[in-house]
Amino acid sequence: MADETKAKAPKLADPVAATIDPATQQMIKRAQQLGVDTVFDRAEQMKPCNIGVQGICCKNCSMGPCRLPLPKGGIEGEDKRKGLCGASANTIAARNFIRMVAGGAAAHSDHGRSVAEVFMSAARKESDAYKIKDIPKLLAVAKALGVDTTVEVDGETRDRDMDEVALEVGQVALNEWGKAEGELLYLKRAPQPLYEKWTKAGVKPRNIDREIVEIMHRTHMGVDQDYKNLIKQGSRCAIADGWGGSMLATDLQDILFGTPYPLQSEANLGVMKADHVNLIVHGHEPVLSEMIVAVAQKPEMVEYAKSKGAKGIQLSGICCTANEILQRHGVPPAGTFLQQELAIITGACDAMVVDIQCIFQNLANVAKCFHTKLITTHPIAKMEQENVIHIEFDEHHALEDAERIVKMAIDNFANRGAEVMIPPHKATQIAGFGVESIQYHLGGTFRGSYYTLNDNIINGRIRGVAGVVGCNNARTRHNEGHIAVVKELIKNDVLVLTTGCNGIACAMEGLLTPESAGVYCGPGLKEVCETVGIPPVLHLGSCVDNSRILLAATEVVNAGGLGKDISDLPAAGSAPEWMSEKAISIGHYFVSSGVYTVFGVTLPTSGAPVFHNHICKELEKLYGGMWDIEPDPIKHAQLMIAHIDKKRKELGIDKARERQLMSMEDRQKLEA
Ligand code: XCC
Ligand code: SF4
């Protein structure tokens, strides 16, 4: 009896059940010893709402929330469920779903807008910190935006002044967010048949902001109450993200900071160094972190760190800010989304600088238990806790802001507690691939196109291409889905393109090295990787860089021999451990661009079977792409492979693969 009156100790996570990564396991244990709760523990203590998971709770007006759970055995006959206003389960699920698209598209696109604004100030030469760095990319983007790069002078064609080109590119780009007429300029970058599908379906975005606003309007109480019409607007908004906000973010970042090119780095918590000042950048925008990279490398800063007793400055990253400075500077990621708290629990994080998106508010509570300075930098992303320092970043004083932050980290080095524990685990990786470098590696300088890649797909060495992307999710074992899906794909000769936290997960597992091809790949992909010297998993960057996958797919279409549209390609998409609204927007622009896309964990449509069936089956007729959900990672990968094989058959190249595999055996026989 006495026991019952005692407060029950909260249930803690089992580290091995929570993650496949030994560094993460070690740090979860460490946190538990120190009595600091992490997301892994909280996931044990709070279960997700069963109705919300199904996508059928509506709180769009105060007569609700109206909850329409699907009965366990499903519904026989007519589905009579309705909210107070009469909204059906399909209407509610569709409204919720496209509001997620709007949230995700807004996040990517507003990030893109900030970049465009910094781009403008660089083009206007208002800033010493930001310059137009990548002229070839500027010219390519100018072309895509319809900006002239040459002028006629006395009947002679001359190159236009680059400053003028940059200024006009900035103006035209910024206009894409709110122009009054027309359609997004980048839509024309898509294969012609896809553009025509969008025209026919009536989903060509007018401008980026408008499609997001229209979702908020249509999903307001009592407006659009037809799930097909709702998801149509979801497509228009998602396309505005993928072929608009995200693509512009990527392009303008490349022009400002350089188009990534393959480079070597490391990944996991073990990149932190006990005897160095550890400064971690976390979030999504490279605009400030680029400055921090520049400042942290300055000899006077390193000297300053030494004067405070440190051996140097170790910069590392979390989430997509990490991916941004990884792909351009080789700065190593310290971890994925779910490892953010753990980086502070090492006791060795002298400062963590955050910008926007995917930042746990609990970082502030964790930082309180250590000496770590937690610094927010963005006017739209502050935290209520008192220990959080806000240093508002301004592109006009970018270097000064970065210097202040780096100095703060250095000054804080002396305040470390005794108990520093950095797990020893880290892995080598090659990152920094993109449309241009794939062309270089797999196309060769001679042809300068995707010809070699296509050739290897046609001859069957490469069975197909998969984009595996997205978050971690504390409702599933950390990194297990990511790694199992990717390994199953490469084992079956599917070349993987990765971004986001999947990229970091693959790096931690050692999959982003050319050597991993010999260990994990099927014979065909292994041969290609070894001949060309690339990893079987190519890291294409951050979440906004999923736009690189769209353009790479378009290049494959244009190189010829594999059909006329993205939907003809032996290709598939996947987000095994997704959690954010951005992932839904990405998934939906992949689907609306013709890609079969499988998500893991759950999909918030399961409570509305008719709507669920519409996005998983009927959308294929409109765009060639459709959704699917499969939590089991092996089945998940097998679904993708089955789709790839279906496309190979439609292209008439299924036999080539059999021949290819046979000739491999023959060759081995010959060698023996
Ligand atoms: Fe965030 Fe981009 Fe997801 Fe990782 S992957 S958890 S969105 S950081 Ni895009
Ligand atoms: Fe309920 Fe309709 Fe209001 Fe939604 S909009 S909360 S379904 S009454």
Side-chain angles (χ1 to χ4, degrees):
M1 285 304 269
D3 277 345
E4 277 175 23
T5 55
K6 253 194 235 161
K8 247 191 143 186
K11 200 164 173 246
L12 298 180
D14 168 0
V16 177
T19 174
I20 62 164
D21 171 46
T24 305
Q25 291 170 358
Q26 182 182 333
M27 292 315 294
I28 294 172
K29 270 184 226 149
R30 176 69 176 163
Q32 291 172 348
Q33 280 162 5
L34 296 172
V36 181
D37 67 281
T38 64
V39 62
F40 299 99
D41 300 320
R42 295 190 294 278
E44 291 297 324
Q45 292 152 20
M46 186 167 64
K47 290 293 155 204
C49 163
N50 179 45
I51 299 167
V53 155
Q54 298 178 46
I56 27 89
C57 170
C58 179
K59 53 182 180 57
N60 293 9
C61 91
S62 86
M63 297 198 290
C66 296
R67 303 177 301 168
L68 275 52
L70 188 68
K72 271 235 167 68
I75 290 170
E76 295 244 336
E78 202 190 333
D79 184 352
K80 292 205 176 103
R81 292 175 295 162
K82 54 182 182 231
L84 257 63
C85 66
S88 70
N90 296 317
T91 296
I92 291 174
R95 283 199 298 223
N96 289 340
F97 192 80
I98 73 168
R99 276 201 173 194
M100 292 184 85
V101 172
H108 286 142
S109 302
D110 209 35
H111 162 174
R113 185 200 325 264
S114 309
V115 178
E117 282 165 357
V118 172
F119 184 93
M120 275 308 281
S121 84
R124 287 199 194 105
K125 300 192 185 296
E126 289 169 0
S127 152
D128 297 334
Y130 301 101
K131 303 238 149 52
I132 303 299
K133 192 167 176 182
D134 193 329
I135 297 292
K137 187 87 180 206
L138 173 67
L139 294 173
V141 170
K143 193 171 159 234
L145 290 173
V147 172
D148 288 335
T149 55
T150 54
V151 275
E152 295 282 326
V153 182
D154 303 331
E156 211 184 300
T157 308
R158 293 208 193 132
D159 285 342
R160 206 174 154 200
D161 176 61
M162 274 314 127
D163 293 341
E164 250 180 62
V165 174
L167 204 60
E168 198 179 326
V169 162
Q171 283 160 346
V172 173
L174 258 179
N175 200 33
E176 292 296 275
W177 271 267
K179 62 187 181 188
E181 281 167 0
E183 62 187 45
L184 286 187
L185 296 166
Y186 274 0
L187 301 181
K188 290 251 163 69
R189 294 177 97 174
Q192 180 69 21
L194 180 55
Y195 181 86
E196 279 160 17
K197 279 177 198 157
W198 292 336
T199 308
K200 200 166 154 230
V203 294
K204 285 186 297 184
R206 294 153 290 187
N207 68 48
I208 297 164
D209 288 346
R210 181 167 183 178
E211 308 311 345
I212 297 164
V213 170
E214 192 170 302
I215 284 186
M216 298 315 284
H217 179 188
R218 287 205 201 192
T219 56
H220 181 278
M221 196 275 156
V223 185
D224 202 347
Q225 300 175 108
D226 170 3
Y227 67 90
K228 287 185 190 164
N229 207 38
L230 283 160
I231 196 67
K232 180 175 152 190
Q233 178 59 18
S235 295
R236 181 140 66 163
C237 182
I239 295 165
D241 177 357
W243 297 87
S246 282
M247 200 173 274
L248 283 163
T250 297
D251 280 345
L252 299 178
Q253 284 171 180
D254 281 357
I255 300 173
L256 283 174
F257 309 127
T259 301
Y261 198 77
L263 40 69
Q264 187 174 324
S265 185
E266 294 176 324
N268 211 344
L269 290 163
V271 305
M272 295 174 71
K273 294 198 182 107
D275 53 8
H276 279 56
V277 172
N278 287 294
L279 174 55
I280 299 185
V281 291
H282 171 20
H284 282 77
E285 279 185 4
V287 172
L288 168 63
S289 50
E290 278 283 330
M291 295 302 113
I292 292 182
V293 174
V295 168
Q297 285 170 347
K298 279 190 184 170
E300 56 270 33
M301 274 298 166
V302 178
E303 276 316 307
Y304 185 61
K306 286 183 179 162
S307 78
K308 299 285 172 177
K311 288 232 169 86
I313 304 168
Q314 177 61 52
L315 193 61
S316 60
I318 305 263
C319 283
C320 284
T321 297
N323 286 325
E324 295 286 2
I325 54 175
L326 164 70
Q327 64 181 346
R328 296 196 181 86
H329 303 284
V331 174
T336 59
F337 172 66
L338 284 184
Q339 290 169 287
Q340 52 185 290
E341 294 165 298
L342 307 179
I344 298 181
I345 292 165
T346 60
C349 176
D350 302 299
M352 185 180 277
V353 187
V354 302
D355 50 76
I356 46 161
Q357 301 166 19
C358 300
I359 298 147
F360 285 0
Q361 186 171 359
N362 198 57
L363 287 180
N365 305 329
V366 178
K368 229 180 264 178
C369 306
F370 297 87
H371 77 301
T372 307
K373 301 257 189 248
L374 180 63
I375 305 165
T376 54
T377 55
H378 209 291
I380 68 163
K382 294 187 176 185
M383 283 187 197
E384 69 186 46
Q385 288 97 324
E386 275 154 24
N387 61 321
V388 181
I389 303 159
H390 187 72
I391 299 181
E392 197 150 303
F393 170 69
D394 171 348
E395 72 250 32
H396 298 100
H397 316 106
L399 283 167
E400 292 91 317
D401 292 339
E403 256 172 41
R404 218 177 125 199
I405 289 167
V406 175
K407 276 213 170 111
M408 193 175 271
I410 296 172
D411 289 334
N412 200 28
F413 178 74
N415 298 329
R416 276 202 203 159
E419 318 98 343
V420 166
M421 186 199 269
I422 301 173
H425 314 270
K426 59 178 175 181
T428 302
Q429 65 165 323
I430 310 288
F433 286 90
V435 178
E436 296 83 353
S437 57
I438 293 176
Q439 179 164 319
Y440 177 79
H441 280 273
L442 280 161
T445 42
F446 170 61
R447 286 188 188 265
S449 84
Y450 274 53
Y451 180 81
T452 310
L453 175 59
N454 283 31
D455 207 27
N456 277 304
I457 296 173
I458 294 165
N459 71 26
R461 280 194 192 91
I462 297 176
R463 187 174 195 158
V465 182
V468 188
V469 309
C471 324
N472 289 122
N473 185 321
R475 297 301 181 191
T476 181
R477 195 175 180 210
H478 171 239
N479 284 2
E480 183 175 64
H482 281 317
I483 300 307
V485 168
V486 169
K487 280 189 179 164
E488 183 69 13
L489 289 169
I490 61 178
K491 189 176 109 188
N492 286 284
D493 294 320
V494 176
L495 177 71
V496 173
L497 309 179
T498 176
T499 64
C501 287
N502 180 275
I504 303 175
C506 289
M508 287 162 56
E509 187 71 11
L511 297 178
L512 303 189
T513 60
E515 295 74 37
S516 72
V519 185
Y520 299 109
C521 291
L525 182 59
K526 173 173 177 277
E527 193 187 339
V528 174
C529 289
E530 284 174 350
T531 310
V532 190
I534 52 164
V537 185
L538 304 179
H539 193 334
L540 266 66
S542 66
C543 310
V544 293
D545 294 333
N546 284 309
S547 62
R548 297 191 201 276
I549 300 182
L550 295 177
L551 291 177
T554 304
E555 291 289 339
V556 172
V557 172
N558 293 343
L562 290 170
K564 297 207 156 19
D565 198 351
I566 294 176
S567 59
D568 296 332
L569 301 176
S574 156
E577 303 181 24
W578 79 280
M579 64 86 205
S580 78
E581 292 172 326
K582 291 180 288 173
I584 293 289
S585 182
I586 294 165
H588 202 60
Y589 72 61
F590 270 102
V591 166
S592 306
S593 301
V595 182
Y596 170 62
T597 303
V598 191
F599 269 36
V601 202
T602 53
L603 211 55
T605 52
S606 59
V610 175
F611 174 62
H612 183 84
N613 182 62
H614 180 66
I615 64 167
C616 294
K617 300 235 157 60
E618 291 167 11
L619 284 190
E620 188 180 13
K621 290 178 215 126
L622 290 177
Y623 309 109
M626 63 289 199
W627 283 89
D628 209 342
I629 161 83
E630 179 49 67
D632 178 90
I634 300 299
K635 286 187 199 151
H636 184 117
Q638 286 300 338
L639 284 170
M640 298 167 74
I641 294 166
H643 179 81
I644 285 169
D645 286 349
K646 181 178 106 184
K647 291 294 165 182
R648 292 191 69 89
K649 194 155 187 212
E650 284 171 14
L651 288 165
I653 55 171
D654 49 331
K655 294 283 179 311
R657 198 174 140 70
E658 284 160 27
R659 274 198 301 277
Q660 181 63 40
L661 293 178
M662 233 191 295
S663 76
M664 284 287 299
E665 278 165 30
D666 291 348
R667 204 174 315 160
Q668 276 157 2
K669 260 185 239 153
L670 274 177
E671 280 166 10

